[in-house]
């Protein structure tokens, strides 16, 4: 067949005119030409013009000029880059501004750096491969592996990994797991004993009681002389959301006005908040309440420094007891009448601690999980230690101290961030006894955001270890019973403050996930399932409504052990974050019944009390100005709860490892997975309801 010559692509196809003509010849011995149009055959052909040497020279000079300009631009760009690097790395200019801009995009910046390092590594490998001649497949020295060679190599690597895993990796993991399991069992026995003690207290109805009426309320004329002098302190720092409700609740305490003094200890560095608190204090002062506003010029020592500065006032010597409330606490009007009488005829009693109750415990899943822990802490740990040992850690608020006990124990010290636990330990070493009142409850808040809760837990777990280093010599040399020393060192500090976060982090966050890759070190089912679930049942008993959240509670506690372990290490070795205090963010919530009671009480006070002293025109002007500033203050916006990827990933990793270990037990994994599915269904409905509200 003769080759075809098709010239249809040499000109635009839309220029067709007329009818195509096809010429055919019989017995052709050459190709047939198809004419697509009548004008196509007669189109003139453009002839290329020849170029002389002068034109070629100008073209070459123009290209050389462009190349030189490109090189000059690259050189100037490289020089500017070197100048920027010199300013940022050597002279440290614009570093702060850049760090602020990169604060939110830190993760993206890390990914970019990792991609850059990977690209440079691959580029270096490609350069070496090119120089070695590996890119030529016809190179006789280049060996191209076949699929069988690759399979054999992978098999060899896998067999080597199995032998190394069984001989070198599994034995250390097994030894560490046995040690952690022993600690886990010791801590579980301690928690079980505390729970049995709580059951015994409930069964025998053991609780501190007040004999008779210590105030002789029938004698109206002389009743005021039976009331001791009480000092109430409200330490706060930039508490815009909760200052008003705390001051209002304290000023409504049912106690003779001439036997009560309220100290508002404000450490705020925001002048607008200072003005608002001053206005609130002035309002209650006009109603006849004996209240004082104090602001430190030198703010050192956090809360301990604030309380120490307030106790150094001369007028404090006239008072016998001091009650302390944090800024978000709202005591009932009869709080002092339920706590102070326990000191009568009990000269060895140094502290009366009340229980916390939470107004926002049902706000979200995080607050529900916190409520489980805190209910067990107060109803089991604090109550049992108070009944059987007369000692427990002071919670820093909602408690009444005998001022003599504070003074003989050394007062408030600024050496640690857990000043409440510090003064409790020193008072116990000086022979003072404590009472915990589980029936007296004070309303407060728990953190609603994970960020605030994590910072609070870091302080609560780093401070005790820092305090343990400071108090250990005093505990050893103190002249108290040996069993009290053993209780302080072994149980109070080591078991509940050091061993608990250590084994929880090591056993459930390191060893348990490793068992997925090292099955030779697999943990027994009773360590993974039975004992943790049983201990979780004991934790949830003080708050039975939280039973549907047992599985999220288990995962939450195990993943939070990362933060607690980090805090414990920083406090034990006095790292930089061991003396860090971040004020916990509050939302300023109050229940509807509390708001109605507060409004009713305030109206009753306004009707019964008369203003004892008039205010001048300048004072009224100042109060009006402060009131206007308060009304113009921005309303705090509720922050959406953040879910951190690290903790969430670790939680699902622990869940996967637990399920994998449970699959080996017949008849266990099905019920566990069924219970887990129902639980997460309830949690999902709870979160959906929260979002809809």
């Amino acid at each position: 067949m003769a080759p075809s010559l098709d010239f249809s692509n040499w000109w635009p196809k839309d220029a067709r005119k007329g009818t195509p003509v096809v010429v055919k010849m019989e017995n052709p011995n050459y190709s047939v030409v198809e004419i697509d149009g009548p004008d196509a055959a007669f189109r003139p052909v453009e002839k290329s013009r020849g170029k002389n040497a002068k034109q070629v020279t100008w073209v070459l000079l123009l290209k050389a000029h462009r190349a030189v300009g490109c090189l000059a631009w690259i050189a100037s760009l490289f020089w500017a880059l070197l100048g920027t690097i010199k300013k940022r790395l050597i002279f440290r200019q614009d570093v702060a501004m850049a760090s602020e801009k990169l604060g939110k995009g830190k993760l993206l910046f890390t990914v970019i750096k990792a991609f850059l390092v990977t690209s440079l590594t691959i580029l270096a490998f490609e350069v070496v491969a090119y120089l070695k001649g590996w890119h030529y497949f016809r190179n006789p020295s280049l060996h191209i592996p076949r699929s069988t060679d690759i399979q054999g190599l992978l098999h060899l690597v896998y067999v080597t990994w199995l032998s190394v895993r069984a001989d070198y990796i599994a034995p250390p993991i097994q030894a560490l797991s046995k040690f952690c399991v022993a600690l886990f069992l010791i801590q579980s026995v301690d928690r079980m004993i505390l729970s049995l003690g709580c059951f015994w207290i409930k069964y025998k109805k053991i609780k501190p009681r007040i004999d008779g009426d210590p105030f002789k309320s029938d004698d109206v004329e002389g009743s005021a002389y039976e009331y001791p002098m009480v000092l109430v302190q409200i330490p706060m720092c930039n508490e815009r959301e909760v200052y008003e409700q705390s001051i209002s609740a304290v000023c409504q305490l049912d106690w003779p006005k001439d036997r009560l003094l309220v100290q508002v200890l404000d450490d705020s560095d925001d002048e607008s908040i200072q003005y608002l608190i001053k206005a609130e204090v002035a309002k209650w002062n006009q109603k006849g309440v004996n209240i004082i506003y104090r602001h430190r010029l030198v703010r050192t020592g956090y809360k301990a420094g604030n309380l120490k500065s307030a106790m150094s006032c001369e007028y404090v010597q006239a008072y016998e007891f001091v009650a302390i409330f944090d800024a978000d606490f709202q005591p009932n009007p009869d709080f002092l009448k339920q706590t102070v009488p326990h000191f009568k005829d009990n000269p060895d009693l140094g502290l009366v601690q009340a229980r916390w109750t939470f107004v926002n415990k049902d706000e979200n899943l995080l607050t529900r999980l916190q409520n489980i822990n805190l209910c067990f802490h107060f109803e089991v740990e604090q109550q049992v230690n108070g009944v059987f040992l007369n000692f427990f850690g002071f919670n820093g608020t909602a408690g009444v101290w005998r001022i003599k006990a504070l003074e003989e124990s050394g007062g408030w010290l600024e050496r640690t961030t857990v000043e409440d636990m510090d003064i409790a330990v020193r008072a116990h070493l000086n022979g003072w006894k404590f009472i915990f009142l589980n029936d007296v409850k004070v309303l407060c808040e728990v953190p609603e955001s994970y960020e605030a809760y994590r910072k609070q837990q870091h302080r609560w777990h780093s401070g005790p270890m820092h305090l343990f280093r400071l108090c250990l010599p005093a505990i050893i040399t103190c002249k108290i019973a040996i069993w009290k020393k053993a209780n302080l060192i072994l149980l109070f500090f080591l078991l509940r403050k050091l061993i608990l976060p250590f084994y929880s982090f090591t056993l459930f966050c390191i060893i348990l996930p490793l068992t997925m890759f090292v099955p030779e070190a697999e943990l027994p089912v009773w360590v993974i399932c039975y004992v943790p679930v049983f201990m979780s049942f004991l934790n949830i008993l003080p708050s039975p409504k939280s039973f549907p959240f047992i599985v999220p509670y288990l995962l939450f506690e195990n993943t939070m052990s990362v933060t607690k372990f980090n805090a414990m290490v920083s406090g034990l070795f006095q790292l930089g974050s061991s003396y860090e205090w971040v004020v916990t963010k509050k939302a300023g919530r109050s229940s509807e019944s509390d708001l109605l009671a507060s409004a009713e009480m305030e109206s009753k006070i306004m009707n019964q009390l008369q203003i004892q002293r008039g205010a001048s025109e300048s004072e009224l002007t100042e109060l009006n100005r402060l009131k206007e500033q308060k009304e113009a203050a921005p309303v705090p916006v509720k922050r959406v709860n953040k879910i951190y990827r690290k903790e969430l990933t670790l939680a699902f990793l622990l869940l996967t490892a637990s399920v994998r270990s449970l699959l080996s037990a017949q008849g266990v994994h099905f019920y566990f997975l069924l219970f887990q599915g129902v639980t997460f269904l309830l949690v999902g409905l709870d979160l959906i309801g929260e979002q809809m509200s």
Side-chain angles (χ1 to χ4, degrees), residues 224-493:
Y225 295 100
E226 297 295 333
Y227 287 87
M229 300 288 288
V230 178
L231 176 68
V232 181
Q233 295 177 336
I234 312 177
M236 59 179 62
C237 180
N238 297 326
E239 305 284 1
R240 182 188 295 271
E241 296 82 7
V242 294
Y243 77 93
E244 184 176 4
Q245 61 190 25
S246 62
I247 295 176
S248 174
V250 169
C251 290
Q252 297 176 31
L253 289 173
D254 187 8
W255 202 258
K257 302 302 179 183
D258 58 339
R259 317 291 290 179
L260 181 69
L261 174 63
V262 179
Q263 282 184 325
V264 179
L265 311 177
D266 184 23
D267 261 6
S268 303
D269 53 4
D270 190 343
E271 293 184 358
S272 62
I273 300 178
Q274 296 178 23
Y275 289 143
L276 295 175
I277 298 176
K278 287 180 182 178
E280 186 70 18
V281 171
K283 181 184 75 173
W284 286 101
N285 197 2
Q286 292 294 327
K287 295 178 182 180
V289 179
N290 192 9
I291 184 171
I292 297 176
Y293 174 85
R294 295 189 80 256
H295 185 271
R296 293 191 298 164
L297 297 179
V298 180
R299 300 171 57 250
T300 58
Y302 301 117
K303 182 180 177 181
N306 198 359
L307 295 173
K308 181 180 179 180
S309 174
M311 294 298 295
S312 63
C313 299
E314 295 182 359
Y315 56 81
V316 175
Q317 299 177 0
Y319 293 85
E320 187 177 359
F321 304 104
V322 55
I324 303 173
F325 299 100
D326 282 350
D328 60 318
F329 279 72
Q330 307 168 49
N332 293 325
D334 60 347
F335 175 83
L336 293 179
K337 289 187 175 181
Q338 290 182 326
T339 55
V340 175
H342 289 277
F343 290 95
K344 188 177 182 180
D345 300 330
N346 195 356
D348 295 333
L349 183 61
L351 168 66
V352 175
Q353 173 71 61
R355 180 177 175 173
W356 301 358
T357 183
F358 312 105
V359 65
N360 61 340
K361 62 182 179 180
D362 296 326
E363 182 66 23
N364 53 40
L365 180 61
L366 179 62
T367 57
R368 288 183 172 90
L369 299 180
Q370 292 179 71
N371 182 58
I372 296 174
N373 275 337
L374 292 173
C375 285
F376 182 85
H377 169 71
F378 285 108
E379 190 161 345
V380 179
E381 292 180 350
Q382 298 289 76
Q383 186 173 210
V384 171
N385 290 328
V387 170
F388 295 103
L389 301 177
N390 294 121
F391 167 74
F392 49 83
F394 176 47
N395 296 115
T397 178
V400 181
W401 276 94
R402 190 189 296 270
I403 295 181
K404 183 180 178 181
L406 292 177
E407 293 175 350
E408 291 185 357
S409 303
W412 299 103
L413 299 181
E414 306 172 5
R415 58 181 182 174
T416 179
T417 56
V418 285
E419 74 294 330
D420 46 5
M421 186 180 295
D422 186 6
I423 189 62
V425 171
R426 288 186 280 116
H428 180 61
L429 295 179
N430 280 274
W432 293 98
K433 297 180 180 179
F434 303 161
I435 286 180
F436 178 77
L437 302 179
N438 191 54
D439 296 333
V440 181
K441 301 178 180 180
V442 181
L443 194 66
C444 63
E445 290 186 15
V446 288
E448 296 182 5
S449 67
Y450 177 77
E451 185 177 3
Y453 175 71
R454 185 175 62 174
K455 293 178 180 178
Q456 182 194 68
Q457 291 299 307
H458 186 277
R459 175 167 54 86
W460 284 5
H461 287 81
S462 64
M465 287 296 97
H466 188 196
L467 178 63
F468 178 65
R469 290 173 54 97
L470 300 174
C471 290
L472 183 60
I475 296 174
I476 296 176
T477 59
C478 182
K479 296 180 180 179
I480 59 175
I482 298 178
W483 68 270
K484 291 185 178 181
K485 294 183 180 180
N487 174 64
L488 276 176
I489 297 175
L490 299 179
L491 294 181
F492 186 75
F493 279 111

Side-chain angles (χ1 to χ4, degrees), residues 10 34 68 86 127 133 173 176 235 253 329 336 365 425 477 532 547 551 587 590 617:
W10 287 23
E34 179 178 351
V68 171
K86 182 179 179 181
V127 171
I173 296 178
L176 183 60
L253 289 173
F329 279 72
L336 293 179
L365 180 61
V425 171
T477 59
F547 178 77
V551 173
S590 296
E617 184 177 356

Side-chain angles (χ1 to χ4, degrees), residues 165 514-522 660:
R165 188 179 71 185
L514 283 179
T515 56
M516 293 190 298
F517 308 99
V518 186
E520 292 84 359
E522 188 172 4
R660 179 196 174 279

Side-chain angles (χ1 to χ4, degrees), residues 118-260:
T118 305
S119 302
L120 293 177
T121 304
I122 296 175
L123 178 61
F125 178 77
E126 291 291 340
V127 171
V128 172
Y130 183 83
L131 296 177
K132 293 287 186 178
W134 295 348
H135 59 290
Y136 294 111
F137 282 95
R138 297 180 180 180
N139 190 352
S141 61
L142 180 63
H143 174 69
I144 302 176
R146 293 172 293 180
S147 59
T148 56
D149 298 337
I150 296 176
Q151 293 177 359
L153 180 62
L154 293 177
H155 183 267
L156 178 63
V157 170
Y158 182 69
V159 172
T160 305
W161 159 246
L162 291 179
S163 60
V164 171
R165 188 179 71 185
D167 297 336
Y168 300 101
I169 299 179
I173 296 178
Q174 289 177 342
L176 183 60
S177 63
K178 291 179 180 178
F179 178 69
C180 293
V181 167
L183 297 179
F184 177 38
L185 293 179
I186 294 173
Q187 198 271 337
S188 301
V189 171
D190 173 68
R191 186 153 295 194
M192 187 181 302
I193 293 175
L194 290 175
S195 301
L196 292 177
C198 183
F199 292 149
W200 181 258
I201 291 173
K202 296 291 184 182
Y203 176 70
K204 291 293 184 177
K205 298 181 180 180
I206 303 174
K207 65 178 182 178
R209 302 180 187 276
I210 302 174
D211 297 331
D213 190 355
F215 301 118
K216 298 180 182 179
S217 58
D218 296 335
D219 187 4
V220 179
E221 295 181 358
S223 61
Y225 295 100
E226 297 295 333
Y227 287 87
M229 300 288 288
V230 178
L231 176 68
V232 181
Q233 295 177 336
I234 312 177
M236 59 179 62
C237 180
N238 297 326
E239 305 284 1
R240 182 188 295 271
E241 296 82 7
V242 294
Y243 77 93
E244 184 176 4
Q245 61 190 25
S246 62
I247 295 176
S248 174
V250 169
C251 290
Q252 297 176 31
L253 289 173
D254 187 8
W255 202 258
K257 302 302 179 183
D258 58 339
R259 317 291 290 179
L260 181 69

